[in-house]
Amino acid sequence: MTRQVSRSEVDRLGKRGSYRLGGLGPVGGVRPAPPRPFKPSFPRPRHHGSISGWILTAAAATILIAGAAVIGVWFMPLIVGIVTGVATRQGGWRLRVSVPAVTIIAAAGWGLGLWLSALKGLPVGATARTIAVVAGLPAGALLPVAITLAVSAAQSLAGLWLGRALAPRPPWD
Amino acid sequence: MVPWSGRWWLVRRAGNGAAAACATAAVLVACAAGYHGLPALGPVLDPGSGAWASASGGLTPKSQVLQVPGLTGAAAISFDPHGIPTINATSVPDAMVALGYLHARFRLTQMDLQRRLAEGRLSQFVGPAGIRSDIFELRLGLLRTARREWAAMPKTSAAAGLLTAYSTGVNDYLAQLRSSGQWPAVFSLAGVYPARWTPVDSLAVQGGMAQALDYSTVPLDYSLLSRALGIRRTMRWLPVSAAAQDVYDPGPYRALGVTPLAGAWAGAGAAGARAAGSGGTGANTTAVPKKALAGSAVTASRSVARAAAAALAAATALPVAKAGGEGAGAAWALNGPKVAGGGSMLASVAPVAEPLRSAWYQVAISAPGFDVAGVSLPGLPGVMIGHNAHVAWSLGGTQDQSALYYVERTSPSRPGRYFWRGRWRSMRQVRYTIPVRRGRTRHLTVDLTVHGPVLTRVGRTVSVDWMGNRGSPDVAVLARIAAAGNFTQFTAALAGWRSPALTFAYADDSGNIAAVTAGYYPVVRRGAPWMLMPGTGADDMAGVIPFAALPRSFDPPGHVIVVAGQRPVTTAYPYYIGTTLSGRDFSDSAGRASALLARRSRLLPPDLAALQASHSDAVAATLSPSLLAALRRATLTPIEQQAASVLRGWNHSLDGQSAAAGIWAAVWPAYLSATFGPWWHAAAGLAARSRRVGLSGQLAGLGLARALERWTLADPSNPAFTPPGKPSRTAASVMRAAFGAAVARLRARLGGAPASWSLDRVASWTTASAPSAALLPVLGPYATGQNPSSDQLWRPGPARDAGLLEGLAGQTWRMIVSLRIGQATPAGRGSIWAEGIYPGGQSENPASRWYANLTGRWRNGGYLPMAPAGAEAAGRIRWVLFP
C-alpha cells in the first residue's frame, strides 16, 4: 500500500535537504536492486598480463604445435585452441582479437613444421604437388599447403570456441 | 527466483557450449576418421607424418649402413648417378633379399597396386571403382593359381628359396616404414597400407604379367563377328591362316604329337586331358582343315553372342591394357656379316602392358654363380630381360591363343551342375569376400567346371581354360637363364616355361643368335578352338604343343632374326597357333625391320639405336598415298584441305609433335570404323549391348586392320566396303568419308588449326613417367589418367585405338647388346657391351630426382651404358647392408 504523500514533501523537492525524501516507494516492499553500471565499449578492457607476455605465449604455442606435429600429435592445434579460449576469456580478449590470433598460431605451427622439413632438404614442394595429383586436386603445390594450414586452423578455431564456452565467467564480465 | 535476464543468460551459455561441443566433435571426426571419401585429415596432413612424410622418399639416397635382418651375410648396393643399382651379395638368396629391399624402397606403390590388381583387392584401396576388376580377377583365378602354385612348390627348391628371400627383403623394408611412418603419399591419403609381402604375392604378380601379355579373347571376338557377319564372311575376312609375313621359323617343321598336361598345376583342365588321352599326331588333330568347322563350334546364336559379349565386356573393363597383350615388343638379333667386327648383336624393345608405364626397374646383380644385368619387374625376383657374362636375351609377345572357351551344357532343372562326358557333374564353388573402401563389402561365388572358371551366365554358361591358370615356374626359369652360358643351357631353361607364351630372342658371345618360343600352346583333339566350343568333353584340350616343336630359329642363313609379335611360322606348320586375329604385329614392324636389315650389313649399335628410335609407321607409309590420292579426287572444305596438305609433307613418323601423325591417328580408326561399323551396326543378329562391346573390341586395331590394309591396296572394290542395303562404295570413298569425320572430330576437340593437331594432343597422351603414385587418385574414381597437362599421367586415346601405341608407347625398355667373340681369356669369356633405357626413372616418388630423369633421354633416342654383369659396385652412393 502506498503511503500518503503530503503536499509539503512534494514542494520540498529540489530544495536543500530533499535528499531525505525517498520514501515515496511502497511501504514494506522490497527495494529494487540498483541498476547495473553501464560499461561503454570504447574503453580498453583490463587485460591480465602484459602484452609481451601474451605474444611470447603465442609464439610458444606455435612452436608447441610444430613440435607436436613432428611426433605425430596432429590434434595439438585443437588443444591449443581450447586453452586459448579459456585464457582469452579470462584475459579479457575479445573475439576480434582471439580468433585471428589462434588462427595465425595454428597455421603458423603447421606451416613451421613444413618449413622445417624444407630446411632439412626434403622436397616439400614436389611432395605437395604429388599430394594434389593423388588426391584428385589440380596439380600444384599451393592447394595442399593451404588445405593443411586450414585443417590446423579449423581445429584451433573449434577449440577456441569450446574453450570460451567452457571457461568460467570472469568477475568483471 | 532468478530474474528473466539471468535465466536467458544461462540458456545462451548452455546453447553456446552445446554448439561449440558439436562443432568440435565435427572437426574431430573429420580429422580423425574422415568422411565419405575424405581421408582422416588430421593424421594425413600432419606436417611431420602422414602424406607429408613421403617427402623423405624423394630424397636422393646417401651412402649409409643399413640393417636388413633377412640377410645371412653382408651385401653392398651402389647407385650410379641415374639411380641404377648394382647389387653385390655373397649368395643368390641374399641378392634376392637386397633386390626385394630395393624394389620396396623405390616401387612399393607399384608392387602393392599390381598385387591388388591380380588378387582382386583393388577396391579395398580405391573403393567401388575397382569392383569390376576385382570380380573379374577373382573369377579368372590369378589368386587361386598363385596359392596353388605355392602350395605345390617344394619349399627346398631354388625357386621357393628365391621367392622367400625376395619376400624377406620386401618385408624388412616394410618394417622400417612401419616404425618411421614415412609411407608413400598414396597410402596415407587412402588410409590403406600394404600388408606383408608373401611368395603368393609374387606369384600373383607373375600371373598378372601373364594376363597382361597373354590373355586371349579371340574366340569371343569370332563368336561376335560370326553372329554379326555370318560365319563365312567372318572366316573370309579373318581366316585362321593367311600368307604369313616375315616368319622367323620357315621350317621344316616336326609334328611331335601332343604333350599331355600333368601334375598338380594342371588345374581344372587336367581331368579333361587325362580323359581325352594323349598321343595322336599333332598334324592330324590340330591342322585346320575347313571341314573342321562343321559341327565342331558352338553356333553363334543370340544367346551365345550375348555370353561372348558379356565375357568380353568383363575382360575389357579392366584397368588400361591389363588384359590382352597390347603390343608385343620387338627384337632383332644379328650375327655374322651383319655385325661389324663379327660376333652378335641383340636389340630389343620390350612391352609392358600395364597401366604403369615405367614398370621396369633396372638393376645389376652379382652373386656367386649369378651375374646378370637388365630390367626386373618389381614384385618378382630376378632379371627378366638383360644379359649375363655370356648371353643376352629379351622376350616379346608372339602369335598364340592362350585361352579356350567352352559353352557348358547346363539345365534349369539342375542348378549348379553341368554335363560333361556323359553325365551331370557338380560345379565346384569358391567364395570370396571383396572389401570395398568406403563401401559395402561384396561377396562373390565363383563356379568352376573341369575346364576352368565360369566367366558368365548371361545367355549361356561360358567357362575359360586359360593357360595362365596352370601356373608357370617363371622365377626358376629366369634364374636358370641368368646362369646360362650357351644356347643349350638357355633352351634347357626355357623348356620349363609355361605362361605367358612368349618368344625369347637370344644372342651369345660365340656369335650365335636365336629365337625360341616357349609356353603352353593348347591342342584340342577336335573342333575349332578359335570359336566357343561345346563343353561336353569331346572338344577338350588334349595337351600342349611339345616344346621341341614350338617355333624356333637358330643361326639363320640370312644372319638376321626379327621378332615382333608376327606369326612365326608358315601355313605348313602342323599345329594351331592362333588365327590372323591373334597376331600382334599391328604395324608390320617385322616386315619393315626385316627389309631394312636385309639391305644392310656390318651394323653397329648406333645403327640399331636409330632403328629403335624410329617411329615410322609402316601402315601409314603404305596407306597414306592411297588416302591422299582419294582426297585429290574429292571436294574438300578449307580445313580439310589444310589437313590434307599437312599429311602430304609427312615422313610417316609418329613423333609426338607431329601434326600429320596426329591427323593420321584420328583418320585410321575412323577408316576402320567407317568400313566395318556399318556392318556391325546393321547386324541383325546382335543385341545392342553385344554390338557395343564387340565394336570396341574388334575395331581396336586388331586383325580387321590388316584385312583393311590388304583390301585397300589390292582390292579397293571389295564387297566389305559396301554393307548390305547400302549404295556401292570403294576404298577411296570410304577413306574420303573417314577423313572428313576425323577432321571434324579433331576440329571440335582441338580447334580449327590442323597444323596444331600434334599427336600428343590427339592421343591425349603425354610422357608417362610416373610408375605408380600419381596414377591413383584416391579421392576420386579409379581412372586411367587425368590432368593431361601433368607429366605424370597417361590415358589412352585414338592412338591406342588405332594400335599406334606400338610406335609410341608399347616399346618401353630399349636395349642393345653387342657380344664380341673376343680374345680368349683365362675365363674363356668374350666381351659384352650393353646399353639400355626406358622412359621414366627408378623411383616412383615424383619428388625424387630419379623419378623422370630417364624420360628425356628415352624420347631423344639416347641410351645409358649397362653395368657389365659381375661388375663390382662402383657407384658413388653406396649402401652397406648387414643382417
Side-chain angles (χ1 to χ4, degrees):
Chain A
M1 182 179 173
T2 306
R3 184 178 67 83
Q4 289 285 25
V5 178
S6 66
R7 185 177 173 81
S8 63
E9 287 177 326
V10 174
D11 290 340
R12 285 167 62 196
L13 287 176
K15 296 188 173 59
R16 184 182 300 179
S18 63
Y19 65 90
R20 291 181 184 156
L21 296 175
L24 296 177
V27 176
V30 177
R31 292 178 67 82
R36 289 167 60 93
F38 174 65
K39 295 178 67 176
S41 62
F42 52 85
R44 186 174 292 188
R46 285 191 308 147
H47 302 300
H48 293 268
S50 66
I51 298 297
S52 57
W54 283 102
I55 292 174
L56 284 174
T57 304
T62 301
I63 294 171
L64 178 65
I65 291 174
V70 170
I71 60 174
V73 182
W74 55 268
F75 47 86
M76 186 58 70
L78 178 68
I79 295 174
V80 168
I82 293 173
V83 172
T84 304
V86 174
T88 53
R89 184 123 168 102
Q90 296 299 313
W93 293 100
R94 297 198 179 273
L95 280 178
R96 59 174 173 246
V97 173
S98 55
V99 166
V102 77
T103 302
I104 292 171
I105 289 170
W110 276 20
L112 180 62
L114 293 176
W115 185 58
L116 289 174
S117 297
L119 283 182
K120 284 192 284 187
L122 293 173
V124 173
T127 302
R129 284 190 292 275
T130 302
I131 292 172
V133 175
V134 175
L137 301 170
L142 193 60
L143 199 51
V145 173
I147 293 174
T148 298
L149 303 185
V151 168
S152 178
Q155 291 185 64
S156 63
L157 286 172
L160 176 74
W161 189 3
L162 186 63
R164 286 182 66 88
L166 295 177
R169 189 172 171 182
W172 47 265
D173 192 1
Chain B
M1 179 179 170
V2 179
W4 273 108
S5 59
R7 273 185 286 181
W8 177 239
W9 182 84
L10 281 175
V11 168
R12 278 179 54 196
R13 185 174 166 82
N16 185 49
C22 289
T24 305
V27 169
L28 264 180
V29 166
C31 288
Y35 182 72
H36 263 296
L38 273 180
L41 295 174
V44 166
L45 294 179
D46 182 309
S49 61
W52 293 104
S54 66
S56 61
L59 286 174
T60 303
K62 297 178 181 174
S63 295
Q64 56 186 141
V65 178
L66 296 168
Q67 183 180 19
V68 181
L71 291 171
T72 59
I77 301 175
S78 76
F79 297 89
D80 73 2
H82 307 286
I84 298 167
T86 299
I87 298 172
N88 290 97
T90 54
S91 67
V92 175
D94 275 359
M96 293 302 115
V97 171
L99 182 64
Y101 188 90
L102 276 175
H103 280 172
R105 165 65 175 86
F106 292 104
R107 299 292 185 88
L108 181 61
T109 311
Q110 172 186 342
M111 293 169 62
D112 192 59
L113 174 64
Q114 285 182 308
R115 73 170 163 175
R116 287 183 179 280
L117 280 168
E119 296 177 4
R121 290 189 294 123
L122 185 65
S123 46
Q124 185 181 37
F125 191 52
V126 303
I131 289 175
R132 290 183 70 183
S133 172
D134 287 347
I135 289 174
F136 179 81
E137 299 295 357
L138 289 172
R139 274 213 177 102
L140 183 62
L142 298 185
L143 180 60
R144 285 193 302 275
T145 302
R147 285 175 174 165
R148 192 173 61 240
E149 268 189 277
W150 179 245
M153 190 182 296
K155 298 305 177 284
T156 55
S157 65
L162 296 177
L163 288 166
T164 303
Y166 180 84
S167 299
T168 301
V170 175
N171 290 325
D172 284 347
Y173 183 72
L174 286 177
Q176 292 181 10
L177 279 186
R178 281 193 196 94
S179 80
S180 69
Q182 294 171 347
W183 296 96
V186 67
F187 297 122
S188 306
L189 287 168
V192 180
Y193 296 89
R196 285 178 58 82
W197 194 270
T198 67
V200 170
D201 296 323
S202 288
L203 293 170
V205 170
Q206 173 188 300
M209 176 193 70
Q211 181 190 344
L213 292 175
D214 193 26
Y215 178 71
S216 178
T217 60
V218 164
L220 303 177
D221 301 334
Y222 270 103
S223 292
L224 286 171
L225 283 168
S226 301
R227 178 67 185 171
L229 307 172
I231 183 67
R232 292 191 183 281
R233 183 175 288 117
T234 298
M235 300 318 297
R236 194 164 58 241
W237 286 4
L238 295 165
V240 173
S241 300
Q245 76 281 22
D246 302 295
V247 300
Y248 59 78
D249 183 3
Y253 306 114
R254 293 186 296 167
L256 299 178
V258 171
T259 298
L261 295 183
W265 294 359
R274 285 194 293 272
S278 61
T281 60
N284 292 333
T285 59
T286 61
V288 191
K290 293 191 178 76
K291 65 184 178 184
L293 292 175
S296 57
V298 175
T299 304
S301 63
R302 195 178 187 91
S303 60
V304 170
R306 284 182 61 209
L312 196 59
T316 53
L318 293 178
V320 171
K322 184 62 182 158
E326 176 179 310
W332 314 302
L334 304 90
N335 66 354
K338 292 294 181 181
V339 179
S344 62
M345 275 205 297
L346 176 67
S348 72
V349 285
V352 178
E354 296 281 347
L356 315 170
R357 183 60 53 75
S358 298
W360 297 118
Y361 184 81
Q362 191 174 347
V363 67
I365 303 174
S366 178
F370 194 92
D371 295 321
V372 64
V375 285
S376 60
L377 188 67
L380 287 176
V383 169
M384 296 200 66
I385 300 171
H387 70 91
N388 59 22
H390 297 286
V391 310
W393 71 94
S394 178
L395 50 84
T398 185
Q399 177 175 318
D400 75 307
Q401 182 179 321
S402 60
L404 304 171
Y405 292 82
Y406 293 93
V407 179
E408 304 288 356
R409 181 177 160 189
T410 58
S411 169
S413 61
R414 292 181 169 88
R417 297 173 72 83
Y418 65 104
F419 190 85
W420 184 71
R421 293 201 177 276
R423 63 184 177 91
W424 290 91
R425 301 165 191 268
S426 295
M427 294 183 187
R428 188 163 69 93
Q429 287 191 331
V430 182
R431 291 183 174 79
Y432 297 97
T433 299
I434 304 176
V436 181
R437 180 172 161 267
R438 310 255 182 233
R440 183 174 51 90
T441 298
R442 304 294 179 95
H443 300 278
L444 176 70
T445 299
V446 178
D447 293 322
L448 298 164
T449 71
V450 69
H451 303 112
V454 172
L455 289 184
T456 181
R457 291 182 185 275
V458 173
R460 302 290 290 270
T461 300
V462 173
S463 61
V464 63
D465 189 353
W466 178 49
M467 298 304 104
N469 274 343
R470 297 173 182 279
S472 182
D474 296 357
V475 171
V477 170
L478 289 171
R480 291 183 65 188
I481 287 176
N486 53 49
F487 186 64
T488 302
Q489 294 172 357
F490 183 78
T491 49
L494 278 183
W497 187 276
R498 300 175 184 177
S499 176
L502 296 170
T503 296
F504 290 77
Y506 168 94
D508 66 26
D509 60 354
S510 298
N512 302 309
I513 58 173
V516 181
T517 301
Y520 275 175
Y521 279 74
V523 174
V524 295
R525 184 161 290 279
R526 70 161 216 182
W530 58 91
M531 301 283 288
L532 268 63
M533 294 182 289
T536 50
D539 301 89
D540 284 1
M541 191 171 69
V544 295
I545 300 176
F547 174 68
L550 287 174
R552 183 184 304 190
S553 175
F554 181 77
D555 283 348
H559 301 285
V560 173
I561 294 175
V562 173
V563 176
Q566 78 274 31
R567 180 184 169 93
V569 291
T570 68
T571 53
Y573 189 66
Y575 295 94
Y576 170 74
I577 58 164
T579 73
T580 51
L581 198 58
S582 312
R584 298 164 194 234
D585 189 5
F586 305 135
S587 58
D588 193 26
S589 54
R592 175 166 47 94
S594 293
L596 194 100
L597 294 171
R599 291 195 298 268
R600 301 180 62 177
S601 60
R602 301 181 60 77
L603 290 160
L604 291 167
D607 301 316
L608 297 184
L611 187 63
Q612 286 186 335
S614 168
H615 296 306
S616 180
D617 182 70
V619 174
T622 305
L623 293 185
S624 61
S626 301
L627 172 64
L628 292 172
L631 296 179
R632 269 195 295 273
R633 295 190 290 269
T635 304
L636 303 178
T637 64
I639 196 168
E640 289 175 350
Q641 288 174 1
Q642 292 177 39
S645 69
V646 169
L647 274 177
R648 272 188 206 99
W650 189 29
N651 62 355
H652 312 119
S653 179
L654 298 176
D655 299 322
Q657 301 303 312
S658 168
I663 294 170
W664 177 255
V667 168
W668 177 234
Y671 184 35
L672 281 164
S673 182
T675 303
F676 297 110
W679 290 92
W680 199 253
H681 291 300
L686 274 186
R689 182 179 174 185
S690 305
R691 200 176 299 132
R692 273 201 304 277
V693 169
L695 191 66
S696 68
Q698 303 319 310
L699 300 190
L702 298 178
L704 290 174
R706 300 309 303 275
L708 182 60
E709 182 187 352
R710 195 169 60 245
W711 298 333
T712 304
L713 294 174
D715 188 12
S717 299
N718 190 293
F721 292 109
T722 306
K726 299 289 183 184
S728 177
R729 303 193 304 177
T730 63
S733 61
V734 178
M735 286 183 114
R736 166 67 185 96
F739 181 79
V743 169
R745 186 181 169 203
L746 287 170
R747 183 181 192 176
R749 283 184 61 196
L750 303 177
S756 71
W757 298 342
S758 66
L759 182 60
D760 279 347
R761 293 184 69 203
V762 174
S764 298
W765 174 81
T766 56
T767 305
S769 55
S772 54
L775 281 175
L776 204 57
V778 293
L779 294 186
Y782 177 75
T784 55
Q786 74 185 101
N787 193 355
S789 63
S790 165
D791 65 354
Q792 300 172 343
L793 303 168
W794 173 81
R795 68 177 175 214
R800 172 173 180 260
D801 295 338
L804 291 176
L805 285 188
E806 183 84 2
L808 282 174
Q811 327 295 3
T812 55
W813 168 249
R814 294 184 191 142
M815 180 178 75
I816 299 175
V817 184
S818 173
L819 304 99
R820 300 300 178 90
I821 309 171
Q823 300 291 332
T825 65
R829 291 182 178 183
S831 63
I832 295 181
W833 173 91
E835 59 181 5
I837 191 78
Y838 67 89
Q842 296 281 88
S843 173
E844 67 178 7
N845 190 321
S848 169
R849 186 160 64 92
W850 293 341
Y851 172 67
N853 55 317
L854 307 179
T855 304
R857 190 184 294 259
W858 179 86
R859 293 198 84 166
N860 295 330
Y863 295 78
L864 289 172
M866 292 171 64
E872 289 294 319
R876 279 192 166 185
I877 303 170
R878 291 179 60 88
W879 288 356
V880 175
L881 311 180
F882 69 97

